[in-house]
């Protein structure tokens, strides 16, 4: 059986990942493919428990190294119990975030060594990287305003402006370094304009499948 495609959506808070994932998935399903959606941290019951621990505020601080280890623990559950079985069964997998988020948030944002994060990625999922990563990009000010309009801020969203500046710059640098995998979309455009570009990307993947 032909392996399914693995697609990830990345970006800072407020870029519209959930909305555009829905557009992408519907396009792929309309072409007759089975699609599984997942998110990180999360994707399995145990990984979702870790997500709650990471996202919710607590009186006990989470050290930076504990944060990245928890991220990759959750990712291990998701990769081994959800993503890999689906791909091997020929199902397309669309994930809201993957290891690029750890590079951006825990690496650039927190200042942890990128070499450490890449070693963890190699240990947890080896050569399993996305076939396509769609980076939805907006300036930090716009992203945080949108996030505030959506819901109360979680532990990550409470970070300072300069934290998200580093995260965004890291994402754009990764996209520049890996143009064969990343596609950057200006998410300051209207939902319709962004959706049309997402649909075009889906059609291109389908034509290559």
């Amino acid at each position: 059986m032909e392996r399914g495609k693995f697609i990830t959506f990345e970006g800072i808070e407020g870029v519209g990942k959930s909305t555009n994932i829905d557009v992408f998935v519907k396009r792929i399903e309309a072409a007759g493919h089975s699609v599984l959606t997942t998110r990180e941290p999360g994707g399995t019951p145990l990984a979702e428990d870790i997500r709650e621990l990471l996202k919710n505020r607590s009186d006990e601080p989470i050290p930076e190294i504990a944060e990245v280890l928890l991220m990759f623990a959750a990712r291990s559950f998701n990769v081994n119990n959800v993503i890999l079985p689906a791909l091997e069964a020929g199902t397309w997998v669309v994930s809201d975030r993957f290891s690029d988020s750890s590079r951006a948030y825990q690496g650039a944002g927190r200042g942890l060594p990128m070499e450490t994060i890449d070693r963890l990625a190699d240990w947890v999922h080896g050569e399993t990287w996305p076939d396509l990563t769609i980076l939805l990009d907006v300036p930090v000010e716009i992203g945080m305003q949108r996030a505030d309009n959506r819901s109360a801020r979680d532990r990550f969203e409470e970070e300072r402006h300069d934290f998200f500046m580093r995260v965004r710059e890291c994402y754009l640098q990764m996209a520049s370094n890996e143009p064969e995998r990343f596609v950057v979309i200006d998410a300051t455009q209207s939902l319709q304009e962004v959706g049309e570009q997402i649909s075009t990307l889906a059609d291109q993947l389908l034509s290559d499948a």
Side-chain angles (χ1 to χ4, degrees):
M1 182 175 293
E2 184 177 354
R3 183 181 185 273
K5 296 287 188 182
F6 182 25
I7 298 93
T8 57
F9 280 70
E10 296 283 356
I12 64 169
E13 275 65 24
V15 295
K17 287 188 280 76
S18 298
T19 299
N20 289 294
I21 285 172
D22 187 54
V23 171
F24 186 90
V25 168
K26 286 179 178 177
R27 196 78 166 193
I28 300 301
E29 289 178 333
H33 291 277
S34 175
V35 183
L36 181 147
T37 59
T38 188
R39 67 177 183 177
E40 293 207 346
T44 79
L46 287 174
E48 289 291 331
D49 288 343
I50 296 174
R51 179 186 181 89
E52 290 300 309
L53 177 62
L54 285 164
K55 300 278 277 188
N56 293 337
R57 294 181 294 274
S58 171
D59 292 335
E60 181 179 0
I62 299 178
E64 293 163 354
I65 189 62
E67 183 177 281
V68 74
L69 290 172
L70 286 167
M71 286 288 184
F72 276 99
R75 185 161 296 130
S76 180
F77 285 120
N78 199 21
V79 167
N80 288 284
N81 298 342
V82 173
I83 294 174
L84 286 179
L87 292 175
E88 290 165 3
T91 299
W92 289 43
V93 176
V94 179
S95 181
D96 182 341
R97 302 195 184 281
F98 196 59
S99 284
D100 294 310
S101 282
S102 294
R103 288 170 165 174
Y105 280 78
Q106 283 75 52
R110 301 290 189 213
L112 291 175
M114 206 64 73
E115 296 81 4
T116 298
I117 294 169
D118 286 343
R119 282 200 298 270
L120 286 169
D122 184 59
W123 191 23
V124 168
H125 56 82
E127 296 181 357
T128 302
W129 283 91
D131 298 295
L132 171 69
T133 296
I134 299 172
L135 174 58
L136 299 170
D137 179 58
V138 298
V140 172
E141 296 82 359
I142 293 175
M144 297 315 298
Q145 183 178 19
R146 289 178 179 177
D148 285 341
N149 292 335
R150 180 184 63 202
S151 61
R153 292 191 177 194
D154 62 29
R155 192 177 69 87
F156 286 98
E157 292 167 343
E158 288 184 334
E159 289 295 335
R160 294 164 56 93
H161 182 274
D162 60 335
F163 173 88
F164 290 107
M165 287 291 292
R166 294 192 299 274
V167 171
R168 183 192 181 206
E169 289 167 4
C170 181
Y171 271 131
L172 293 172
Q173 186 61 55
M174 285 190 288
S176 177
N177 292 342
E178 296 185 67
E180 71 285 352
R181 176 165 71 89
F182 276 85
V183 173
V184 182
I185 293 180
D186 178 3
T188 64
Q189 302 173 95
S190 69
L191 282 175
Q192 180 178 350
E193 290 172 315
V194 175
E196 288 172 354
Q197 293 182 48
I198 294 292
S199 296
T200 297
L201 285 173
D203 290 343
Q204 290 172 349
L205 267 182
L206 288 165
S207 67
D208 295 337

